[in-house]
Amino acid sequence: MKPKGQSKPQDRILDAALRVFRRHGFRRSSIEQVAEAAGLTRQALYHHFQSKEALFRAVIELLYETALAAEIAAANAAEKAQANLADILVAQVDARLRYLIGSFDGSLHIEELFSEHLALGLDLYQKYAAAFAAQVAATVDRVCRSQRLVLARGMTARALARCLEMAMHGAKSDYPSMLPADAFLKDLEMMLRLLIAGAVAPPSIGRLAKQRPAKAAPAKPSKRIKPAKKPGGRR
């Protein structure tokens, strides 16, 4: 997915910028290198982006937009295949992260690029973190309706989405650069599946509650009626 209003020269510039940043890192990259990689003059590039920082932010935004589109497509495909909720959400998160990891595949400057992206694009990070969480919550709502699932007491779609995002950040503490990717994604998947399993109420509980007949109230012991006394005090 590309930002609205983006022209073809900008496509070429952003593609070139990603290659340059991946090859040299942010600090050692220059506008001249990007212009050369894009087949443009420095002046032509400045017509679209006023600084290296602005160019880097545009690259970050494009990556996030494309990752968001990738996760939407993955969730839709898994739903179409009638997968269960855990499989759908794992596929959704996996598609997002695989795209982001793959965008810097082979770079020797991944840690620097991640650090700079938080320093120069913290607002973008926060914006898309909210967008990713909202998308996950929408998927949870949609799948619960279509598959007639009930979330556990106290759990909501938004709360589950937030828990999954926190699990992802927790996994990053062991894999700061999300590398090696396969190990990172495998550990994350295990965490996600455990969270999802605990967030969904077992279907049998709801059915049993409906099918179980109400217990009859215990009968009260009847009072014994004493026979009337006969005259003379004899019964």
Side-chain angles (χ1 to χ4, degrees):
M1 183 182 293
K2 297 173 183 176
K4 295 180 180 180
Q6 183 171 297
S7 63
K8 289 183 179 180
Q10 286 180 314
D11 290 347
R12 192 162 73 250
I13 292 169
L14 293 177
D15 181 67
L18 178 57
R19 286 186 277 115
V20 170
F21 290 137
R22 186 167 52 195
R23 186 181 307 122
H24 301 291
F26 175 76
R27 298 183 189 93
R28 298 180 63 184
S29 296
S30 67
I31 287 289
E32 289 80 6
Q33 290 171 326
V34 176
E36 182 180 357
L40 298 171
T41 65
R42 178 178 175 178
Q43 289 73 20
L45 193 149
Y46 274 125
H47 177 70
H48 297 282
F49 299 98
Q50 296 181 351
S51 66
K52 184 174 73 170
E53 289 75 16
L55 180 57
F56 188 65
R57 281 175 56 85
V59 170
I60 293 171
E61 185 165 22
L62 179 59
L63 291 179
Y64 277 142
E65 282 287 339
T66 311
L68 184 60
E71 78 164 55
I72 291 172
N76 289 340
E79 287 181 58
K80 188 175 180 180
Q82 298 182 335
N84 61 39
L85 178 62
D87 287 344
I88 293 169
L89 293 176
V90 167
Q92 180 170 339
V93 174
D94 185 84
R96 177 211 310 176
L97 295 176
R98 281 191 186 277
Y99 174 78
L100 293 174
I101 294 170
S103 297
F104 296 102
D105 186 37
S107 175
L108 300 176
H109 308 280
I110 292 180
E111 290 187 11
E112 179 204 342
L113 292 170
F114 281 156
S115 175
E116 290 295 335
H117 116 270
L118 290 176
L120 298 173
L122 181 59
D123 58 322
L124 294 175
Y125 173 81
Q126 294 170 336
K127 170 186 174 181
Y128 283 96
F132 290 136
Q135 188 59 46
V136 171
T139 299
V140 173
D141 268 334
R142 191 169 59 249
V143 174
C144 284
R145 287 197 304 270
S146 65
Q147 298 186 9
R148 298 182 180 180
L149 301 176
V150 177
L151 295 178
R153 180 175 296 181
M155 180 60 68
T156 64
R158 291 181 66 85
L160 177 55
R162 183 169 178 269
C163 288
L164 299 185
E165 294 296 320
M166 287 192 294
M168 182 184 67
H169 294 306
K172 284 182 181 178
S173 65
D174 280 346
Y175 301 87
S177 301
M178 297 188 286
L179 295 174
D182 288 340
F184 165 68
L185 292 171
K186 182 179 180 181
D187 284 355
L188 176 60
E189 178 180 350
M190 179 176 63
M191 295 171 66
L192 297 183
R193 288 187 181 279
L194 286 171
L195 282 169
I196 296 164
V200 178
S204 58
I205 292 179
R207 287 199 297 266
L208 286 175
K210 292 180 180 179
Q211 295 173 359
R212 186 180 297 150
K215 292 183 179 180
K220 295 181 179 179
S222 57
K223 295 181 179 180
R224 187 176 178 183
I225 301 176
K226 296 180 181 181
K229 292 182 178 180
K230 294 183 179 180
R234 298 169 64 184
R235 292 184 182 180

